[in-house]
Amino acid sequence: KNKRTCSKMVLVSLELQNPLPPLPPPPFPILKLLGLGAVIAISGIGAFYLWKRTQLHGKSLDKALETEHQGDEYFKQKNFDEAIKCYKEAIEWCPVDKHKEHVRFHCSIAESREEITRKQK
């Protein structure tokens, strides 16, 4: 323990005696601004996406289950394309923390696609 403390103190004192030189400025200040602009743009896109998913859709489990039921009705009528659309909409409506429902909606989509391929054969 004592040796570690001593070696840390020696390193700190060496750094104080010979500080690292400052980094040179970027060759083109515009690159710095472009980098900052890219970060802001990406952050803005991500924030808009999250806002859109929560504000426009409202994330309602009741609405998701209602849409799933509508998809089930289309499935029974053998209208698989409409059923898939309903299941995808149910995924959009479903809150993110409802994992079992998400899995069920995805399984329903897979089942509908399987029926479409069977019908084509």
Side-chain angles (χ1 to χ4, degrees):
K1 220 174 184 183
N2 223 358
K3 287 182 184 180
R4 286 185 187 169
T5 306
C6 281
S7 62
K8 283 183 183 178
M9 288 177 18
V10 168
L11 285 175
V12 169
S13 67
L14 287 174
E15 287 176 4
L16 290 176
Q17 289 174 4
N18 300 322
L20 294 174
L23 293 174
F28 302 103
I30 191 73
L31 292 178
K32 195 175 187 181
L33 289 174
L34 287 175
L36 181 62
V39 168
I40 291 171
I42 291 170
S43 299
I45 291 169
F48 177 74
Y49 176 75
L50 291 175
W51 174 81
K52 181 181 172 191
R53 283 191 59 130
T54 56
Q55 296 299 316
L56 296 181
H57 290 293
K59 295 293 184 184
S60 167
L61 182 60
D62 292 335
K63 180 68 175 168
L65 295 175
E66 179 183 317
T67 309
E68 179 196 22
H69 179 70
Q70 185 180 6
D72 292 341
E73 293 300 318
Y74 281 126
F75 187 89
K76 289 175 188 173
Q77 297 168 7
K78 299 190 185 290
N79 189 349
F80 303 116
D81 292 323
E82 288 299 317
I84 290 172
K85 287 179 187 176
C86 288
Y87 297 137
K88 286 182 178 182
E89 186 179 340
I91 291 170
E92 287 297 315
W93 279 104
C94 191
V96 179
D97 61 339
K98 301 296 182 187
H99 302 292
K100 289 180 182 178
E101 286 78 7
H102 277 273
V103 169
R104 191 172 67 238
F105 300 152
H106 283 283
C107 287
S108 297
I109 290 172
E111 189 176 359
S112 297
R113 287 183 178 157
E114 189 175 309
E115 290 295 325
I116 289 172
T117 56
R118 276 191 200 146
K119 195 165 108 175
Q120 290 174 349
K121 288 182 179 181

